[in-house]
């Protein structure tokens, strides 16, 4: 059963997007609180460098590692995401809310079970890699789908010292092979350099308060 706030969300956003067998799909999840041009830049880089057919912009109900006090309503974050994610290959979705999912590992397990024949790659900003080992069942995430880590300001070097980078160093794929990543069996991950945006949701929220 949907909660009261979720009932205000248009039904299509609460359904998992459709992807035909044989397609390559990027999974870009976050609280997007608020979404900004930096998120759009990561999505565009991923679409281009990974040669993806689609990218699912997954607006999460909330992040277990972050405080919910400053979290804007899900419907608002979906609406703002639609305004920023203008590429027709980007599908804004909040299907996790309909399934009451809180952890990425559960999200990826559900996606994998529902989409046989589709090749997925998990997309994350390099700034998230630093604390990735604190995520629930993080090793399971790495073993479910290939991962593309997109460069973010201040995170280019720190990612190399992260627990996940060290643990799965043997599974790192050369950046030049990024277009092949989605078709590779997990574990497989690569670091993608490119244009970086200094925007952050935290800074935007602080500026709005000021």
């Amino acid at each position: 059963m949907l909660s009261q706030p979720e009932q205000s969300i248009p039904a299509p956003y609460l359904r998992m997007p459709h992807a035909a067998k044989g397609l390559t799909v990027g999974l870009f999840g976050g609280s997007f609180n608020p979404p900004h041009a930096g998120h759009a830049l990561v999505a565009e880089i991923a679409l281009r460098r990974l040669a993806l057919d689609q990218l699912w912009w997954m607006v999460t109900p909330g992040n277990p590692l972050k405080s919910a006090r400053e979290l804007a309503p899900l419907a608002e974050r979906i609406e703002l995401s639609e305004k920023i994610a203008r590429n027709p290959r980007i599908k804004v979705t909040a299907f996790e809310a309909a399934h009451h999912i809180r952890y990425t590992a559960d999200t990826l397990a559900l996606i994998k079970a529902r989409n046989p024949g589709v090749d997925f790659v998990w997309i994350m900003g390099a700034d998230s890699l630093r604390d990735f080992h604190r995520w629930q069942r993080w090793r399971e995430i790495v073993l479910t789908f290939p991962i593309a880590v997109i460069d973010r300001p201040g995170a280019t070097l720190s990612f190399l010292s992260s627990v996940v980078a060290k643990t799965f160093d043997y599974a790192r794929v050369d950046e030049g092979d990024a277009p092949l990543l989605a078709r590779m069996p997990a574990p497989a991950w690569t670091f993608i350099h490119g244009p970086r945006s200094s925007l952050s949701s935290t800074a935007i929220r602080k500026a709005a308060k000021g």
Side-chain angles (χ1 to χ4, degrees):
M1 182 177 293
L2 296 176
S3 66
Q4 194 69 33
E6 289 162 5
Q7 290 175 10
S8 66
I9 298 170
Y13 291 112
L14 297 173
R15 292 193 293 266
M16 189 179 296
H18 172 72
K21 290 183 178 181
L23 294 185
T24 56
V25 180
L27 303 172
F28 185 35
S31 50
F32 299 111
N33 185 42
H36 53 70
H39 293 132
L41 179 61
V42 168
E44 291 291 343
I45 289 172
L47 277 167
R48 185 175 69 254
R49 298 288 299 278
L50 298 169
L52 300 174
D53 297 303
Q54 288 182 17
L55 182 139
W56 294 0
W57 181 296
M58 303 188 304
V59 186
T60 64
N63 185 332
L65 295 179
K66 295 180 180 179
S67 169
R69 286 181 302 172
E70 294 186 339
L71 191 64
L74 182 57
E76 179 181 319
R77 290 181 283 128
I78 291 171
E79 183 179 355
L80 291 172
S81 292
E82 281 286 19
K83 291 179 179 178
I84 285 177
R86 296 189 173 277
N87 191 312
R89 287 187 289 160
I90 297 177
K91 314 295 180 184
V92 175
T93 178
F95 72 87
E96 288 167 297
H99 294 275
H100 305 289
I101 293 174
R102 293 186 70 228
Y103 298 111
T104 298
D106 294 323
T107 299
L108 301 190
L110 178 65
I111 290 171
K112 188 170 187 176
R114 294 245 180 133
N115 296 275
V118 180
D119 292 310
F120 291 96
V121 55
W122 176 253
I123 296 158
M124 62 193 300
D127 49 339
S128 297
L129 199 63
R130 184 170 48 251
D131 297 319
F132 188 58
H133 62 285
R134 294 176 57 207
W135 292 25
Q136 186 89 353
R137 307 191 330 263
W138 64 274
R139 286 182 175 85
E140 185 179 321
I141 295 171
V142 181
L143 295 172
T144 302
F145 293 133
I147 297 176
V149 181
I150 312 295
D151 201 2
R152 289 278 289 153
T156 308
L157 298 176
S158 62
F159 90 94
L160 286 170
S161 61
S162 69
V163 173
V164 66
K166 289 180 176 179
T167 304
F168 288 95
D169 179 65
Y170 70 92
R172 186 176 179 184
V173 175
D174 186 270
E175 185 176 355
D177 291 326
L180 308 174
L181 186 67
R183 307 285 189 191
M184 294 180 182
W189 66 279
T190 193
F191 188 92
I192 296 179
H193 298 81
R196 294 172 295 175
S197 169
S198 60
L199 290 172
S200 80
S201 296
T202 303
I204 292 172
R205 289 197 304 274
K206 286 181 178 178
K209 282 183 177 180

